[in-house]
């Protein structure tokens, strides 16, 4: 009778410290000690440090603590606590806190009373040269948020921020010149500011340039240039530019008439809620073959936006 043979015992590798170099043993020992003493919640520790300094009256700590409450970093998000600490720092003259407080009030959508409180704090920071505050102050006056609408005041602060290289302010200043709001109407100035903003990566400015070239406003009509600017903005994910680029492909303006490309760009814009794109896409689909629609949908699924630095 044959006795069943047992399989050979598996050899389990073990860590033999005696075979390691002294330097490696020391490194492992230090690593184990570091892991054992690691802070399990660094955000909570940071909050405690900021709190201690803030209670002593440190304005930078007060501002940073306000940011933690505003963003919910290491604490439960609490806008009342954020406001409290921003206000303490702002009253001590901390510019960043003044800006943060003003932006917080400005972003209180649907609350005119809160938005009215934004202006004095944004103005304090804007007058000290903070471009973000200058731009935000311009938006208040352009849109009449908590202040009487004043295009001249808006243009003044857009220009201040634009001169510091704020791309969004440059683009908005271009709009003011194009429409003659608060400044003399000048397509030359509009183009100049749109180009500055576009070179800084603004998809809004790129889309606006595309529109000027498509319509021949302030420049000779040039569909090739329109396609160039629409494409850059569309590749950055700007829905309006995706719609306009799709329409160029649909109509064969500056590009070959290409239903698949048109459907893809219109589809991408429609996915972001552009109703005109949705309507045009569906009308286009009625005259496309099923395999063409399938290809366009596949292209849209695999499309990924580019960053401004990729152009």
């Amino acid at each position: 009778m044959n006795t069943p043979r047992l399989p050979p015992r598996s050899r389990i590798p073990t860590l033999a410290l005696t075979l390691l170099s002294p330097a490696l043993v020391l490194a492992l020992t230090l690593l184990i000690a570091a892991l054992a003493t690691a802070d399990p919640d660094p955000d909570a520790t940071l909050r405690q440090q900021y709190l201690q300094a803030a209670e002593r009256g440190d304005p930078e700590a007060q501002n940073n603590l306000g940011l933690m409450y505003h963003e919910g970093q290491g604490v439960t998000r609490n806008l009342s606590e954020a406001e409290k600490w921003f206000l303490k720092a702002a009253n001590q003259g901390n510019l960043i806190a003044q800006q943060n407080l003003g932006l917080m009030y400005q972003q209180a959508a649907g609350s005119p009373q809160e938005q009215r409180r934004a202006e004095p704090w944004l103005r304090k920071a804007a007058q000290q040269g903070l471009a973000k505050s200058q731009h935000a102050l311009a938006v208040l006056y352009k849109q009449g948020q908590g202040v009487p609408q004043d295009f001249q005041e808006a243009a003044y602060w857009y220009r201040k921020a634009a001169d510091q290289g704020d791309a969004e302010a440059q683009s908005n200043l271009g709009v003011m010149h194009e429409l003659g709001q608060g400044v003399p109407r000048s397509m030359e100035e509009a183009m100049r500011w749109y180009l500055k903003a576009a070179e800084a990566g603004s998809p809004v400015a790129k889309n606006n340039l595309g529109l000027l070239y498509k319509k021949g406003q302030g420049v000779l009509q040039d569909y090739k240039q329109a396609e160039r600017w629409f494409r850059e903005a569309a590749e950055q994910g700007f829905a309006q530019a995706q719609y306009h680029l799709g329409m160029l492909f649909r109509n064969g303006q500056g590009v070959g008439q290409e239903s698949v490309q048109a459907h893809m760009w219109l589809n991408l814009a429609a996915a972001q809620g552009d109703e005109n794109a949705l309507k045009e896409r569906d009308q286009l689909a009625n005259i496309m073959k099923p395999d063409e629609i399938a290809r366009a949908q596949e292209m849209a699924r695999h499309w990924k936006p580019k960053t401004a630095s990729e152009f």
Side-chain angles (χ1 to χ4, degrees), residues 188-249:
E188 183 180 350
E189 279 296 287
M191 284 288 295
R192 184 169 79 88
W193 287 109
Y194 286 153
L195 281 169
K196 283 180 176 289
E199 289 166 0
S202 168
V204 177
K206 292 175 183 179
N207 180 69
N208 289 344
L209 282 171
L211 286 171
L212 293 185
Y213 278 110
K214 181 183 178 183
K215 297 175 181 178
Q217 292 182 336
V219 291
L220 292 175
Q221 189 176 54
D222 188 333
Y223 287 123
K224 285 286 186 184
Q225 281 295 316
E227 186 270 339
R228 171 202 168 182
W229 292 112
F230 284 148
R231 182 178 291 278
E232 284 200 19
E235 291 284 7
Q236 288 178 252
F238 192 60
Q240 290 181 32
Q242 291 172 339
Y243 164 73
H244 292 304
L245 183 59
M247 293 305 294
L248 290 186
F249 275 109

Side-chain angles (χ1 to χ4, degrees), residues 70-120:
H70 189 270
E71 302 301 320
Q73 179 187 348
V75 292
T76 301
R77 190 165 189 256
N78 188 323
L79 295 183
S80 294
E81 280 293 300
E83 178 188 17
K84 165 187 160 183
W85 290 110
F86 284 152
L87 192 56
K88 285 180 179 290
N91 281 329
Q92 292 196 70
N94 185 281
L95 287 180
I96 302 301
Q98 291 171 350
Q99 175 171 272
N100 287 337
L101 189 61
L103 292 173
M104 182 178 171
Y105 289 144
Q106 182 189 26
Q107 293 161 7
S111 177
Q113 181 178 355
E114 289 293 283
Q115 290 181 338
R116 279 195 293 273
R117 299 169 71 185
E119 199 276 347

